[in-house]
Amino acid sequence: MEDKQTKKAVLGSVMVVGGGIAGMQAALDMANSGYYVYMVERSPAIGGAMAQLDKTFPTNDCSM
């Protein structure tokens, strides 16, 4: 079976539990490796604790 957009062979599917920064990065890495990814998050929004922050350490950049 091949993915029509990138013409890569689909290897299978994985489920990523958690939609925080680490979960989103893991989902992107797995998708780029050729897997179908299902992301599961218990809250109604993704982003985890990072989405609740106004500024990030150490650069004090806006996290939005």
PDB file of all heavy atoms in Angstrom, residues 15 23 42 60:
ATOM      1  N   MET A  15      -0.154   4.474  17.482  1.00  0.00           N
ATOM      2  CA  MET A  15      -0.967   5.380  18.274  1.00  0.00           C
ATOM      3  C   MET A  15      -0.058   6.117  19.242  1.00  0.00           C
ATOM      4  O   MET A  15       0.732   5.503  19.962  1.00  0.00           O
ATOM      5  CB  MET A  15      -2.032   4.621  19.065  1.00  0.00           C
ATOM      6  CG  MET A  15      -2.909   5.539  19.903  1.00  0.00           C
ATOM      7  SD  MET A  15      -4.252   4.696  20.760  1.00  0.00           S
ATOM      8  CE  MET A  15      -3.375   3.824  22.022  1.00  0.00           C
ATOM      9  N   GLY A  23       4.579  14.443  22.359  1.00  0.00           N
ATOM     10  CA  GLY A  23       3.663  13.616  21.584  1.00  0.00           C
ATOM     11  C   GLY A  23       3.511  14.096  20.159  1.00  0.00           C
ATOM     12  O   GLY A  23       3.476  13.304  19.218  1.00  0.00           O
ATOM     13  N   ARG A  42      -6.492  13.403  26.078  1.00  0.00           N
ATOM     14  CA  ARG A  42      -7.668  13.385  26.945  1.00  0.00           C
ATOM     15  C   ARG A  42      -8.321  14.759  27.099  1.00  0.00           C
ATOM     16  O   ARG A  42      -9.489  14.862  27.404  1.00  0.00           O
ATOM     17  CB  ARG A  42      -7.323  12.816  28.309  1.00  0.00           C
ATOM     18  CG  ARG A  42      -6.356  13.655  29.098  1.00  0.00           C
ATOM     19  CD  ARG A  42      -6.085  13.059  30.454  1.00  0.00           C
ATOM     20  NE  ARG A  42      -4.903  13.700  31.021  1.00  0.00           N
ATOM     21  CZ  ARG A  42      -4.212  13.205  32.007  1.00  0.00           C
ATOM     22  NH1 ARG A  42      -4.577  12.064  32.544  1.00  0.00           N
ATOM     23  NH2 ARG A  42      -3.168  13.827  32.471  1.00  0.00           N
ATOM     24  N   ASN A  60      12.982  33.883  26.887  1.00  0.00           N
ATOM     25  CA  ASN A  60      11.824  34.705  27.193  1.00  0.00           C
ATOM     26  C   ASN A  60      10.999  35.036  25.943  1.00  0.00           C
ATOM     27  O   ASN A  60      10.332  36.045  25.850  1.00  0.00           O
ATOM     28  CB  ASN A  60      12.229  35.999  27.924  1.00  0.00           C
ATOM     29  CG  ASN A  60      11.135  36.478  28.848  1.00  0.00           C
ATOM     30  OD1 ASN A  60      10.278  35.705  29.256  1.00  0.00           O
ATOM     31  ND2 ASN A  60      11.149  37.764  29.172  1.00  0.00           N
TER      32      ASN A  60
END
